[in-house]
Amino acid sequence: MDRSLDRAKLLAARYKAAEARPYLASALYALTVVPSDGVRTMGVDRHWRCYVSPAFVDATPVVELAGVWIHEVAHLLRDHHGRAERLPAEDQGDHVRVNIAQDCEINDDLLADGLVLPDGRMEPRLYGLPAGGLFETYLPGIPPTPHGPDCGSGAHGTPTPWELGGAGGPARVGPVEAEALRRQTAQAVRAHMRSRGRVPEGWARWADELLEPSVDWREALAGAVREAAAWAAGAVDYTYRRPSRRTPALGGRVVLPSLRRPLPRVAVVVDTSGSMGPEDLAAALAEVTGVLREVGVGGNRVAVLACDADVHVVTRVRSVGEVALAGGGGTDMRVGIEAALALPDRPNVVVVLTDGHTPWPDETPSCRLIAALIGQAPPAPPPWVETVRVDSGGHGPG
């Protein structure tokens, strides 16, 4: 079977791909070629073996083969099989749709970069989807289809009949080596941008996310609120309202106080000025109230204050649906923080949901203060404010 493969043509195409996109060269040359009549075109497994149809190589010009080389290595560099394993089980079971969505993520970058791909390629526009997205966002817009591309388990994560499997066979790249290749390639992308100034937007975004991964804001906000609530609950004190159980042993001559562990009270100050997006506000507020319920803080122990340049609404809430968000004017979160601290039941923790375009208090208030900054490039609050950045849209790839 190996003798029927035109290796000279195939490897000339890989050389052309590496020469044209030098930042991908290390990853391209890490792929091990496996001739196979079972694969329709080319495909990869998670061990960085590239399965190649000899008939496809014969029928495809070198310039298009170069584009397919880059397409296949992109599945592995972007860890498509790892990301596919994090999909819901129902989506994982439909590897054709997953593969189509992954091809859409890759091909719009490749075509915008001037690469030539064979006919029949998948693009977001074919499904009425915008360019520049990730495959997870494309997947809901891909209709069920019985036939489609099959780039192998290195893409959609499902082993195919033409793959060799994990044991034996030609050289394999292990998970540690694969991650090293990804980081090396990401650094090469950045170096190329510094020296030559341009790479496709998708590759630049991928390199940034790999080298400087963003923390999921939901996890960061939840962690900050949990930690603050635990801190407040740990503020034990002595009280004579409930005498210590050791008091009777003293014959009533001395009344000992008992330790009291107060439940934390929380105030959420919501920036309702005109610059705030309602969807981001609702998402952030849902996260805060959800975490508070999880740690046992609910009922009338959570106050929500709607505030722009003045406080419009103060509500004790049990659910997000009970929150009334009024306002829409200027922005001064100092007013909301001051109003929260002036409540009859003074809060131990104040969470401020804002786009950051606001003045802040001149000094640290006598409570834990967390700012959840919503939107693109919000200005930073003073360093003594615990800060979580809430990305519009909610998350990125893993």
Side-chain angles (χ1 to χ4, degrees):
M1 184 177 300
D2 189 21
R3 287 174 296 178
S4 66
L5 175 65
D6 188 343
R7 282 186 174 270
K9 182 180 181 181
L10 179 67
L11 299 182
R14 177 161 65 176
Y15 176 81
K16 182 177 181 65
E19 184 180 41
R21 308 295 183 275
Y23 47 87
L24 302 179
S26 294
L28 285 165
Y29 284 110
L31 292 168
T32 299
V33 174
V34 179
S36 173
D37 290 322
V39 63
R40 291 198 302 267
T41 56
M42 291 170 63
V44 289
D45 65 17
R46 64 181 64 220
H47 307 291
W48 289 62
R49 293 181 292 214
C50 184
Y51 301 83
V52 182
S53 163
F56 175 71
V57 173
D58 289 342
T60 306
V62 168
V63 66
E64 293 182 9
L65 285 174
V68 178
W69 270 111
I70 293 177
H71 174 97
E72 298 301 337
V73 82
H75 281 301
L76 295 168
L77 286 171
R78 300 186 184 197
D79 192 27
H80 275 177
H81 61 275
R83 289 160 57 188
E85 290 175 349
R86 297 191 286 272
L87 293 171
E90 182 180 356
D91 287 330
Q92 290 186 43
D94 191 349
H95 72 265
V96 174
R97 285 180 59 244
V98 172
N99 207 146
I100 292 173
Q102 292 171 336
D103 282 4
C104 287
E105 176 188 315
I106 293 171
N107 288 343
D108 59 352
D109 290 330
L110 271 55
L111 294 170
D113 196 31
L115 289 166
V116 181
L117 297 173
D119 293 337
R121 60 186 176 266
M122 299 298 164
E123 303 174 51
R125 64 179 181 84
L126 300 178
Y127 300 92
L129 300 170
L134 300 175
F135 89 78
E136 292 90 345
T137 63
Y138 287 147
L139 190 57
I142 307 296
T145 176
H147 304 292
D150 190 349
C151 292
S153 65
H156 50 67
T158 303
T160 66
W162 37 265
E163 294 178 5
L164 297 175
R172 295 173 293 152
V173 172
V176 175
E177 296 168 279
E179 190 59 27
L181 277 168
R182 292 187 185 104
R183 295 192 66 84
Q184 180 182 357
T185 303
Q187 290 164 352
V189 167
R190 284 194 165 178
H192 187 88
M193 293 172 65
R194 288 193 296 268
S195 62
R196 305 191 187 185
R198 183 182 179 276
V199 299
E201 183 178 344
W203 283 118
R205 179 184 60 199
W206 168 79
D208 287 343
E209 181 63 30
L210 185 71
L211 297 175
E212 299 175 13
S214 59
V215 177
D216 188 301
W217 66 265
R218 289 180 170 84
E219 294 181 7
L221 181 56
V225 174
R226 282 194 196 94
E227 200 274 338
W231 168 83
V236 295
D237 199 359
Y238 289 96
T239 178
Y240 285 91
R241 291 184 180 180
R242 180 181 296 173
S244 169
R245 286 178 292 181
R246 291 183 296 161
T247 296
L250 301 176
R253 295 187 300 273
V254 178
V255 178
L256 296 177
S258 62
L259 284 173
R260 178 177 63 92
R261 184 180 298 274
L263 285 173
R265 291 190 178 275
V266 180
V268 183
V269 179
V270 183
D271 181 351
T272 56
S273 61
S275 58
M276 290 292 290
E279 293 183 1
D280 291 330
L281 266 180
L285 186 55
E287 292 299 320
V288 171
T289 54
V291 171
L292 292 174
R293 284 196 304 272
E294 179 185 322
V295 298
V297 181
N300 65 355
R301 308 194 75 83
V302 180
V304 178
L305 298 84
C307 176
D308 46 24
D310 197 1
V311 176
H312 294 273
V313 182
V314 179
T315 319
R316 296 283 178 184
V317 299
R318 285 182 169 80
S319 69
V320 178
E322 298 176 17
V323 177
L325 298 180
T331 308
D332 190 343
M333 291 299 99
R334 293 176 302 182
V335 176
I337 296 169
E338 290 170 4
L341 296 177
L343 290 171
D345 297 317
R346 183 183 177 90
N348 313 99
V349 181
V350 176
V351 181
V352 183
L353 307 181
T354 178
D355 60 7
H357 295 280
T358 174
W360 294 92
D362 294 329
E363 57 185 19
T364 308
S366 55
C367 70
R368 292 289 286 269
L369 180 61
I370 300 170
L373 301 182
I374 298 172
Q376 298 296 320
W384 47 263
V385 179
E386 298 177 54
T387 303
V388 175
R389 295 187 182 276
V390 177
D391 297 328
S392 297
H395 77 84

